[in-house]
Amino acid sequence: MAPQRRMTRQVQIGLSHSEKAKRLSSTGFYEEALKELNIALRAFETENRDGLWDDAIAGVLNNAGFVYIFMGNYQGAEDTFRSAIGLKERLGDKKSLAATLAGLADAYRGQCRFDDAASALQEALDAAVAIKDDSMAKTLTASLDALERTRCDMPDANYKKADFDELYVPKAGADVSARLAYVKIKVKAPDELTVEADIGFPYQMQDLEDAEAPHFPAIVLLFPKGVESVLEGSGVTDEEENPVSFNASAFDGLLYGPGSYCRGGPQPLPLCKQYLYTFGAGHVLGWHIGANGWYHVEASLRVNLDAGLRLYICMPFGSVKLRSAAVAIDRPSAWGAVLLTAGNFLQGRSLETAKLPHVPHKSLYEGPAKAKIKSEAGTTMKYGVLCLEMIK
């Protein structure tokens, strides 16, 4: 005769603390929930002679695994789910096993072990199909889709566009080494600004293009949010001074560097993923970039300079080597100080737009305004941002 389960004091403790853990977890008190689950686990293990309470222990482990997921402790989640799977395989409950395999896939996803996550989800899907649970099979199929979107930095299936501009630079830009041989910024009173640059791609072995972006967004001119500017003229010529196919468009929002995780991508972010971005209002200059091409870029803008100037010249390439930079000021006496700084795009696991839109790493000039300012210091930027700040 098989032994029967009895509602002992320890079992009551296990059930009580399991329920308390669920309430704590649902309100975000994850560490407290884990403490309750550990008490429940010890209580059930005390009474688990001959595997009588294997199902309860597996349930506690399963819940703990998801709490670890919520906390971002993906290794802890993996270890806990594996322990639960061992028990559930013995119990033969395929539906419960499939749910735990889905949790294990989440743990793998958080560690960027995407192939392992896909295998776990496929095993769970096979179990759901075997027991003809169509609802679970549909959910697991959606999870497989979300996993692939995570792997490829794509938006979630239910992604909703924001009410501001968002531009994702094609991933090919991450492998590009650009040479910024010369950049000159002219500040003309009262509200005129011109930018000239000679930029080349000497190590680019093939044309740099994307099916969705025939004009590669090579230079983006940004001002702080709320600063209005008008692009009055722009153009690009190659090294033989021939015009090249070119596009200029207004922009006001977030510019994402190549390889950035999508703002609307499946959450939470895996450990290996992050946002690569800058932000502001201005203009995107794009053109067809040919193999080993060199280009001269010109842009003239009107912008209100009454409150000073902060211009960001953004070049979303994996490496940008600057050789020479210059600033020409028509009326230097109208200005107090000038700062010219080289920096990089922001990187992180959250989008923060309340701070500066770049990470400064080298000062090229800091001092009084002069009619002509030139820096030959040179520097190499990763996803480069050249910032000119002029203070009244």
Side-chain angles (χ1 to χ4, degrees):
M1 182 176 176
Q4 294 184 348
R5 302 206 296 193
R6 296 173 55 242
M7 189 60 63
T8 64
R9 173 64 177 163
Q10 288 298 317
V11 170
Q12 290 175 349
I13 290 173
L15 293 172
S16 173
H17 286 274
S18 292
E19 287 301 315
K20 186 175 181 180
K22 289 179 182 178
R23 293 194 298 272
L24 288 167
S25 178
S26 67
T27 53
F29 293 94
Y30 301 127
E31 292 186 2
E32 291 81 355
L34 272 181
K35 292 176 182 178
E36 297 299 321
L37 288 169
N38 282 328
I39 294 172
L41 183 62
R42 290 196 297 270
F44 283 125
E45 287 176 339
T46 299
E47 297 295 317
N48 195 37
R49 290 179 293 275
D50 300 318
L52 285 177
W53 294 97
D54 276 355
D55 58 339
I57 291 173
V60 171
L61 290 169
N62 197 72
N63 292 339
F66 282 108
V67 172
Y68 278 125
I69 291 285
F70 298 145
M71 295 174 66
N73 183 347
Y74 299 114
Q75 184 60 61
E78 177 190 348
D79 295 341
T80 306
F81 282 130
R82 282 187 173 280
S83 297
I85 286 171
L87 291 172
K88 291 187 176 185
E89 286 177 337
R90 226 167 35 235
L91 292 167
D93 185 346
K94 288 190 175 182
K95 182 171 182 176
S96 181
L97 176 61
T100 302
L101 285 167
L104 180 62
D106 282 342
Y108 286 145
R109 174 189 175 277
Q111 298 174 73
C112 298
R113 293 165 57 183
F114 300 124
D115 289 342
D116 290 337
S119 296
L121 283 173
Q122 188 59 57
E123 186 178 349
L125 180 59
D126 291 342
V129 171
I131 60 176
K132 298 181 180 181
D133 191 325
D134 294 339
S135 177
M136 176 174 279
K138 184 177 180 180
T139 299
L140 291 167
T141 300
S143 295
L144 280 165
D145 176 70
L147 176 64
E148 193 60 24
R149 290 173 178 273
T150 299
R151 187 201 302 257
C152 300
D153 303 320
M154 295 170 60
D156 188 78
N158 299 316
Y159 170 63
K160 294 182 179 179
K161 289 189 176 181
D163 57 358
F164 51 83
D165 292 335
E166 291 186 297
L167 175 60
Y168 288 85
V169 176
K171 289 187 177 182
D175 299 323
V176 173
S177 294
R179 294 292 182 268
L180 190 60
Y182 178 72
V183 59
K184 183 175 184 179
I185 307 166
K186 298 179 182 178
V187 183
K188 303 178 181 179
D191 60 358
E192 187 177 346
L193 187 70
T194 65
V195 177
E196 296 181 42
D198 290 328
I199 186 169
F201 305 88
Y203 304 112
Q204 189 63 29
M205 304 305 294
Q206 57 186 9
D207 292 359
L208 186 59
E209 56 187 356
D210 183 86
E212 298 180 1
H215 296 109
F216 201 94
I219 293 180
V220 183
L221 306 175
L222 295 178
F223 302 93
K225 185 174 178 61
V227 175
E228 295 184 2
S229 63
V230 177
L231 185 65
E232 296 202 317
S234 58
V236 178
T237 56
D238 61 21
E239 53 193 317
E240 297 178 353
E241 299 185 358
N242 296 316
V244 301
S245 179
F246 171 78
N247 180 65
S249 58
F251 184 83
D252 186 356
L254 284 161
L255 171 69
Y256 299 92
S260 171
Y261 195 68
C262 181
R263 177 187 62 83
Q267 298 294 319
L269 270 70
L271 295 176
C272 65
K273 300 290 186 177
Q274 62 181 345
Y275 301 110
L276 175 66
Y277 67 104
T278 186
F279 54 89
H283 308 274
V284 179
L285 309 181
W287 63 90
H288 174 74
I289 297 175
N292 197 35
W294 278 90
Y295 304 94
H296 180 75
V297 186
E298 294 186 7
S300 58
L301 307 98
R302 287 204 175 275
V303 58
N304 191 328
L305 301 177
D306 290 345
L309 170 67
R310 187 177 286 166
L311 167 67
Y312 300 95
I313 303 176
C314 308
M315 296 150 287
F317 301 110
S319 174
V320 181
K321 188 172 184 179
L322 170 66
R323 188 172 69 193
S324 175
V327 180
I329 306 172
D330 269 6
R331 294 172 53 190
S333 60
W335 300 91
V338 175
L339 294 86
L340 185 62
T341 308
N344 309 314
F345 277 40
L346 298 171
Q347 297 186 58
R349 295 176 58 78
S350 61
L351 294 167
E352 300 181 35
T353 57
K355 57 183 182 181
L356 289 176
H358 75 310
V359 180
H361 78 78
K362 185 170 184 178
S363 175
L364 303 177
Y365 177 83
E366 183 175 357
K370 298 186 291 186
K372 292 183 180 180
I373 298 170
K374 190 169 184 179
S375 171
E376 300 285 355
T379 189
T380 298
M381 299 170 277
K382 186 176 178 66
Y383 311 111
V385 179
L386 192 63
C387 175
L388 172 64
E389 183 174 3
M390 297 179 61
I391 302 168
K392 288 287 187 177

